[in-house]
PDB file of all heavy atoms in Angstrom:
ATOM      1  N   VAL A 639     -56.225  12.274   1.161  1.00  0.00           N
ATOM      2  CA  VAL A 639     -55.091  12.809   0.389  1.00  0.00           C
ATOM      3  C   VAL A 639     -53.862  12.950   1.282  1.00  0.00           C
ATOM      4  O   VAL A 639     -52.742  12.614   0.882  1.00  0.00           O
ATOM      5  CB  VAL A 639     -55.478  14.172  -0.227  1.00  0.00           C
ATOM      6  CG1 VAL A 639     -54.246  14.880  -0.810  1.00  0.00           C
ATOM      7  CG2 VAL A 639     -56.527  13.989  -1.311  1.00  0.00           C
ATOM      8  N   PHE A 640     -54.069  13.430   2.501  1.00  0.00           N
ATOM      9  CA  PHE A 640     -52.959  13.587   3.450  1.00  0.00           C
ATOM     10  C   PHE A 640     -52.320  12.244   3.769  1.00  0.00           C
ATOM     11  O   PHE A 640     -51.093  12.105   3.757  1.00  0.00           O
ATOM     12  CB  PHE A 640     -53.456  14.247   4.734  1.00  0.00           C
ATOM     13  CG  PHE A 640     -52.463  14.170   5.865  1.00  0.00           C
ATOM     14  CD1 PHE A 640     -51.415  15.073   5.924  1.00  0.00           C
ATOM     15  CD2 PHE A 640     -52.563  13.193   6.839  1.00  0.00           C
ATOM     16  CE1 PHE A 640     -50.475  14.991   6.951  1.00  0.00           C
ATOM     17  CE2 PHE A 640     -51.635  13.106   7.857  1.00  0.00           C
ATOM     18  CZ  PHE A 640     -50.589  14.014   7.910  1.00  0.00           C
ATOM     19  N   LEU A 641     -53.134  11.227   4.056  1.00  0.00           N
ATOM     20  CA  LEU A 641     -52.592   9.915   4.403  1.00  0.00           C
ATOM     21  C   LEU A 641     -51.790   9.331   3.248  1.00  0.00           C
ATOM     22  O   LEU A 641     -50.759   8.689   3.448  1.00  0.00           O
ATOM     23  CB  LEU A 641     -53.725   8.967   4.800  1.00  0.00           C
ATOM     24  CG  LEU A 641     -54.393   9.237   6.145  1.00  0.00           C
ATOM     25  CD1 LEU A 641     -55.604   8.335   6.327  1.00  0.00           C
ATOM     26  CD2 LEU A 641     -53.396   9.038   7.281  1.00  0.00           C
ATOM     27  N   SER A 642     -52.264   9.565   2.021  1.00  0.00           N
ATOM     28  CA  SER A 642     -51.544   9.084   0.847  1.00  0.00           C
ATOM     29  C   SER A 642     -50.172   9.774   0.732  1.00  0.00           C
ATOM     30  O   SER A 642     -49.157   9.131   0.476  1.00  0.00           O
ATOM     31  CB  SER A 642     -52.368   9.329  -0.416  1.00  0.00           C
ATOM     32  OG  SER A 642     -51.702   8.858  -1.557  1.00  0.00           O
ATOM     33  N   ALA A 643     -50.164  11.095   0.951  1.00  0.00           N
ATOM     34  CA  ALA A 643     -48.906  11.844   0.889  1.00  0.00           C
ATOM     35  C   ALA A 643     -47.955  11.411   2.000  1.00  0.00           C
ATOM     36  O   ALA A 643     -46.729  11.305   1.796  1.00  0.00           O
ATOM     37  CB  ALA A 643     -49.178  13.339   0.986  1.00  0.00           C
ATOM     38  N   LEU A 644     -48.502  11.157   3.177  1.00  0.00           N
ATOM     39  CA  LEU A 644     -47.679  10.715   4.300  1.00  0.00           C
ATOM     40  C   LEU A 644     -47.048   9.358   4.000  1.00  0.00           C
ATOM     41  O   LEU A 644     -45.862   9.136   4.272  1.00  0.00           O
ATOM     42  CB  LEU A 644     -48.521  10.636   5.575  1.00  0.00           C
ATOM     43  CG  LEU A 644     -47.823  10.145   6.836  1.00  0.00           C
ATOM     44  CD1 LEU A 644     -46.666  11.065   7.211  1.00  0.00           C
ATOM     45  CD2 LEU A 644     -48.803  10.030   7.999  1.00  0.00           C
ATOM     46  N   MET A 645     -47.825   8.448   3.430  1.00  0.00           N
ATOM     47  CA  MET A 645     -47.284   7.131   3.099  1.00  0.00           C
ATOM     48  C   MET A 645     -46.184   7.246   2.061  1.00  0.00           C
ATOM     49  O   MET A 645     -45.140   6.582   2.158  1.00  0.00           O
ATOM     50  CB  MET A 645     -48.381   6.193   2.607  1.00  0.00           C
ATOM     51  CG  MET A 645     -47.842   4.857   2.124  1.00  0.00           C
ATOM     52  SD  MET A 645     -49.064   3.544   2.154  1.00  0.00           S
ATOM     53  CE  MET A 645     -49.162   3.206   3.896  1.00  0.00           C
ATOM     54  N   ASP A 646     -46.395   8.103   1.045  1.00  0.00           N
ATOM     55  CA  ASP A 646     -45.345   8.319   0.044  1.00  0.00           C
ATOM     56  C   ASP A 646     -44.038   8.738   0.712  1.00  0.00           C
ATOM     57  O   ASP A 646     -42.956   8.234   0.381  1.00  0.00           O
ATOM     58  CB  ASP A 646     -45.774   9.407  -0.953  1.00  0.00           C
ATOM     59  CG  ASP A 646     -46.715   8.894  -2.021  1.00  0.00           C
ATOM     60  OD1 ASP A 646     -46.745   7.664  -2.247  1.00  0.00           O
ATOM     61  OD2 ASP A 646     -47.436   9.701  -2.617  1.00  0.00           O
ATOM     62  N   ARG A 647     -44.144   9.668   1.633  1.00  0.00           N
ATOM     63  CA  ARG A 647     -42.947  10.207   2.290  1.00  0.00           C
ATOM     64  C   ARG A 647     -42.293   9.159   3.190  1.00  0.00           C
ATOM     65  O   ARG A 647     -41.062   9.055   3.248  1.00  0.00           O
ATOM     66  CB  ARG A 647     -43.313  11.451   3.102  1.00  0.00           C
ATOM     67  CG  ARG A 647     -42.132  12.176   3.692  1.00  0.00           C
ATOM     68  CD  ARG A 647     -41.211  12.753   2.638  1.00  0.00           C
ATOM     69  NE  ARG A 647     -40.045  13.370   3.249  1.00  0.00           N
ATOM     70  CZ  ARG A 647     -38.929  12.725   3.535  1.00  0.00           C
ATOM     71  NH1 ARG A 647     -38.820  11.420   3.276  1.00  0.00           N
ATOM     72  NH2 ARG A 647     -37.901  13.344   4.084  1.00  0.00           N
ATOM     73  N   LEU A 648     -43.108   8.376   3.896  1.00  0.00           N
ATOM     74  CA  LEU A 648     -42.552   7.351   4.790  1.00  0.00           C
ATOM     75  C   LEU A 648     -41.836   6.264   4.001  1.00  0.00           C
ATOM     76  O   LEU A 648     -40.811   5.734   4.423  1.00  0.00           O
ATOM     77  CB  LEU A 648     -43.661   6.737   5.644  1.00  0.00           C
ATOM     78  CG  LEU A 648     -44.241   7.634   6.738  1.00  0.00           C
ATOM     79  CD1 LEU A 648     -45.428   6.965   7.397  1.00  0.00           C
ATOM     80  CD2 LEU A 648     -43.174   7.974   7.781  1.00  0.00           C
ATOM     81  N   LEU A 649     -42.391   5.919   2.825  1.00  0.00           N
ATOM     82  CA  LEU A 649     -41.782   4.872   2.017  1.00  0.00           C
ATOM     83  C   LEU A 649     -40.414   5.291   1.469  1.00  0.00           C
ATOM     84  O   LEU A 649     -39.570   4.444   1.196  1.00  0.00           O
ATOM     85  CB  LEU A 649     -42.723   4.491   0.859  1.00  0.00           C
ATOM     86  CG  LEU A 649     -43.985   3.730   1.265  1.00  0.00           C
ATOM     87  CD1 LEU A 649     -44.885   3.514   0.063  1.00  0.00           C
ATOM     88  CD2 LEU A 649     -43.636   2.373   1.906  1.00  0.00           C
ATOM     89  N   GLU A 650     -40.223   6.603   1.283  1.00  0.00           N
ATOM     90  CA  GLU A 650     -38.944   7.072   0.758  1.00  0.00           C
ATOM     91  C   GLU A 650     -38.011   7.590   1.864  1.00  0.00           C
ATOM     92  O   GLU A 650     -36.896   8.006   1.597  1.00  0.00           O
ATOM     93  CB  GLU A 650     -39.164   8.179  -0.272  1.00  0.00           C
ATOM     94  CG  GLU A 650     -39.744   9.454   0.308  1.00  0.00           C
ATOM     95  CD  GLU A 650     -40.035  10.513  -0.751  1.00  0.00           C
ATOM     96  OE1 GLU A 650     -40.211  10.154  -1.913  1.00  0.00           O
ATOM     97  OE2 GLU A 650     -40.070  11.706  -0.384  1.00  0.00           O
ATOM     98  N   ALA A 651     -38.478   7.544   3.120  1.00  0.00           N
ATOM     99  CA  ALA A 651     -37.683   8.078   4.229  1.00  0.00           C
ATOM    100  C   ALA A 651     -36.458   7.213   4.501  1.00  0.00           C
ATOM    101  O   ALA A 651     -36.495   5.990   4.364  1.00  0.00           O
ATOM    102  CB  ALA A 651     -38.543   8.173   5.489  1.00  0.00           C
ATOM    103  N   THR A 652     -35.397   7.851   4.892  1.00  0.00           N
ATOM    104  CA  THR A 652     -34.175   7.144   5.281  1.00  0.00           C
ATOM    105  C   THR A 652     -34.281   6.698   6.737  1.00  0.00           C
ATOM    106  O   THR A 652     -35.179   7.117   7.475  1.00  0.00           O
ATOM    107  CB  THR A 652     -32.952   8.058   5.124  1.00  0.00           C
ATOM    108  OG1 THR A 652     -33.065   9.133   6.068  1.00  0.00           O
ATOM    109  CG2 THR A 652     -32.849   8.614   3.720  1.00  0.00           C
ATOM    110  N   ALA A 653     -33.359   5.848   7.137  1.00  0.00           N
ATOM    111  CA  ALA A 653     -33.327   5.407   8.529  1.00  0.00           C
ATOM    112  C   ALA A 653     -33.153   6.593   9.464  1.00  0.00           C
ATOM    113  O   ALA A 653     -33.728   6.643  10.557  1.00  0.00           O
ATOM    114  CB  ALA A 653     -32.195   4.395   8.728  1.00  0.00           C
ATOM    115  N   ALA A 654     -32.364   7.592   9.024  1.00  0.00           N
ATOM    116  CA  ALA A 654     -32.162   8.786   9.848  1.00  0.00           C
ATOM    117  C   ALA A 654     -33.453   9.562  10.000  1.00  0.00           C
ATOM    118  O   ALA A 654     -33.769  10.085  11.082  1.00  0.00           O
ATOM    119  CB  ALA A 654     -31.078   9.663   9.230  1.00  0.00           C
ATOM    120  N   ASP A 655     -34.221   9.664   8.911  1.00  0.00           N
ATOM    121  CA  ASP A 655     -35.515  10.364   8.959  1.00  0.00           C
ATOM    122  C   ASP A 655     -36.424   9.695   9.983  1.00  0.00           C
ATOM    123  O   ASP A 655     -37.058  10.364  10.808  1.00  0.00           O
ATOM    124  CB  ASP A 655     -36.213  10.343   7.595  1.00  0.00           C
ATOM    125  CG  ASP A 655     -35.546  11.239   6.580  1.00  0.00           C
ATOM    126  OD1 ASP A 655     -34.918  12.225   6.980  1.00  0.00           O
ATOM    127  OD2 ASP A 655     -35.669  10.943   5.379  1.00  0.00           O
ATOM    128  N   LEU A 656     -36.496   8.373   9.899  1.00  0.00           N
ATOM    129  CA  LEU A 656     -37.393   7.628  10.778  1.00  0.00           C
ATOM    130  C   LEU A 656     -36.934   7.717  12.230  1.00  0.00           C
ATOM    131  O   LEU A 656     -37.753   7.777  13.149  1.00  0.00           O
ATOM    132  CB  LEU A 656     -37.470   6.173  10.331  1.00  0.00           C
ATOM    133  CG  LEU A 656     -38.089   5.948   8.939  1.00  0.00           C
ATOM    134  CD1 LEU A 656     -38.004   4.481   8.545  1.00  0.00           C
ATOM    135  CD2 LEU A 656     -39.541   6.420   8.910  1.00  0.00           C
TER     136      LEU A 656
END
Side-chain angles (χ1 to χ4, degrees):
V639 169
F640 167 81
L641 288 173
S642 181
L644 179 61
M645 174 157 286
D646 280 339
R647 187 64 184 88
L648 289 173
L649 289 175
E650 66 183 24
T652 66
D655 288 333
L656 296 175

